[in-house]
Amino acid sequence: MFAQLFDDDGQGGGGYGASLNGIKASGDVAMIEALTEQLAPRMLVGSQWPLMAVFHLGRLGRINASIRREQGSWNVELDAEQDTAARWLSGVRQQCEQRLAASLHQPVSLYLAKSAQA
């Protein structure tokens, strides 16, 4: 019974599942903001390319980043150390890419390392 109440299968039209989806969505936004806040400043002050960075995202753990700057755009490859982080990144890759592009005012292509494409 509890599994049905808290199921995150995307079919909810209301009830507890919808509330939890809203919490999950706001948590995703906060984590995307945290990722952007950690990556963008490093990207702007980097002087050697590719820039390698390691950062920590709360419950998701460490994420390794390889950043390349090309003419007018950025290529960012993320590699999560934990499977849960890799799955999360896979689900929010496009939102992360858009948020970084908005923060940097330049196009960003965000890729996930093969180990992060779980």
Side-chain angles (χ1 to χ4, degrees):
M1 178 174 161
F2 287 108
Q4 290 175 346
L5 286 174
F6 297 107
D7 189 18
D8 187 16
D9 64 359
Q11 297 176 10
Y16 295 107
S19 296
L20 288 179
N21 287 341
I23 291 169
K24 180 183 181 302
S26 66
D28 284 349
V29 170
M31 295 300 281
I32 291 167
E33 287 295 320
L35 183 144
T36 301
E37 288 173 5
Q38 289 189 47
L39 266 183
R42 294 179 188 187
M43 293 168 72
L44 291 172
V45 299
S47 60
Q48 294 182 337
W49 307 105
L51 175 66
M52 306 301 280
V54 177
F55 56 96
H56 190 268
L57 275 183
R59 61 180 166 75
L60 296 174
R62 288 173 38 140
I63 298 174
N64 301 305
S66 174
I67 303 159
R68 287 177 168 54
R69 187 173 189 175
E70 297 181 2
Q71 293 179 329
S73 68
W74 299 90
N75 285 324
V76 179
E77 182 176 4
L78 300 178
D79 186 14
E81 291 185 357
Q82 296 180 14
D83 289 341
T84 54
R87 285 191 299 275
W88 178 79
L89 283 170
S90 174
V92 298
R93 186 200 62 77
Q94 186 174 4
Q95 294 96 321
C96 290
E97 183 178 85
Q98 291 169 346
R99 182 64 187 106
L100 277 169
S103 180
L104 297 167
H105 305 289
Q106 291 184 328
V108 173
S109 296
L110 193 141
Y111 304 96
L112 302 179
K114 292 205 186 300
S115 62
Q117 293 181 10

